[in-house]
């Protein structure tokens, strides 16, 4: 990702999360945990950049166009929602989980194939004690492959 659009845009100080920290935030587990790591986030600038490594071993490639595999768009949106959920969670309360509320204006621009590295970017639009909303974009090789506006609502961890 060196020299990429994402890095150039957010080169100032930011923080990152490894998989252990991610699973302490998200309730998802294999095969539904789609964020491999958070490369950077900044709670003052309200953004997050995460990564999903797309491999041929993914379970969905067995049945989703097996002769010409592409990642299902709904799973790209799910990966974006998980990255955005992490940002909304970090902006909110640690005893709550950000749950997907709505997706607007979703657009699929290019296919995602095995071997691609999917970069997930969420930019905060609105945050409150009830949840939040982000502008989400997924990139492969600095090319936007999917974009959407995603909203979240907070629920207590013991409710899920």
């Amino acid at each position: 990702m060196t020299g990429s659009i994402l890095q150039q845009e957010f080169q100032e100080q930011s923080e990152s999360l490894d998989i252990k920290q991610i699973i302490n935030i998200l309730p998802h587990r294999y095969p539904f945990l789609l964020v491999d790591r958070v490369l950077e986030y900044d709670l003052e600038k309200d953004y997050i950049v995460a990564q999903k490594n797309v491999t041929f071993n993914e379970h969905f490639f067995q049945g989703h166009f097996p002769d010409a595999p592409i990642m299902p768009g709904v799973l790209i949106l799910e990966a974006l929602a998980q990255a955005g959920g992490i940002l909304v969670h970090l902006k909110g309360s640690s005893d709550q989980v950000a749950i997907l509320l709505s997706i607007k204006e979703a657009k699929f621009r290019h296919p995602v194939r095995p071997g691609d590295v999917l970069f997930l970017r969420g930019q905060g639009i609105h945050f409150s004690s009830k949840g939040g909303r982000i502008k989400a974009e997924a990139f492969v090789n600095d090319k936007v492959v999917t974009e959407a506006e995603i909203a979240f609502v907070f629920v207590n961890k013991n409710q899920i």
Side-chain angles (χ1 to χ4, degrees):
M1 197 166 124
T2 304
S4 75
I5 293 169
L6 294 175
Q7 244 184 356
Q8 290 169 9
E9 191 170 345
F10 300 116
Q11 282 185 344
E12 297 167 19
Q13 289 186 359
S14 64
E15 299 187 48
S16 63
L17 301 172
D18 63 24
I19 194 64
K20 290 180 182 179
Q21 294 167 304
I22 292 168
I23 62 175
N24 285 330
I25 295 171
L26 293 178
H28 306 76
R29 297 298 179 263
Y30 177 84
F32 294 104
L33 180 59
L34 298 175
V35 175
D36 292 324
R37 65 183 173 148
V38 173
L39 301 172
E40 54 188 293
Y41 69 91
D42 187 315
L43 299 180
E44 290 181 20
K45 295 183 179 178
D46 298 334
Y47 79 88
I48 189 166
V49 178
Q51 179 178 327
K52 163 71 177 142
N53 298 311
V54 182
T55 70
F56 189 72
N57 295 327
E58 304 279 358
H59 64 284
F60 49 81
F61 285 131
Q62 295 174 27
H64 197 256
F65 304 106
D67 294 333
I70 61 171
M71 186 172 180
V74 68
L75 293 180
I76 299 169
L77 285 173
E78 175 64 23
L80 284 167
Q82 288 180 20
I86 293 170
L87 177 63
V88 172
H89 169 83
L90 292 170
K91 293 284 290 183
S93 171
S94 63
D95 63 337
Q96 296 181 320
V97 176
I99 301 293
L100 181 63
L101 180 64
S102 69
I103 299 174
K104 293 182 183 178
E105 304 294 325
K107 293 182 178 69
F108 302 96
R109 307 251 181 232
H110 299 282
V112 176
R113 295 186 166 86
D116 286 342
V117 177
L118 193 60
F119 293 99
L120 312 161
R121 176 180 169 227
Q123 179 65 55
I125 297 172
H126 173 76
F127 299 99
S128 74
S129 61
K130 295 180 180 183
R133 193 174 61 214
I134 66 162
K135 166 78 170 124
E137 297 174 302
F139 293 83
V140 172
N141 296 327
D142 292 335
K143 185 184 290 188
V144 176
V145 296
T146 304
E147 59 186 304
E149 185 177 304
I150 304 174
F152 304 86
V153 63
F154 283 129
V155 299
N156 289 328
K157 285 185 177 181
N158 60 5
Q159 290 180 309
I160 56 172

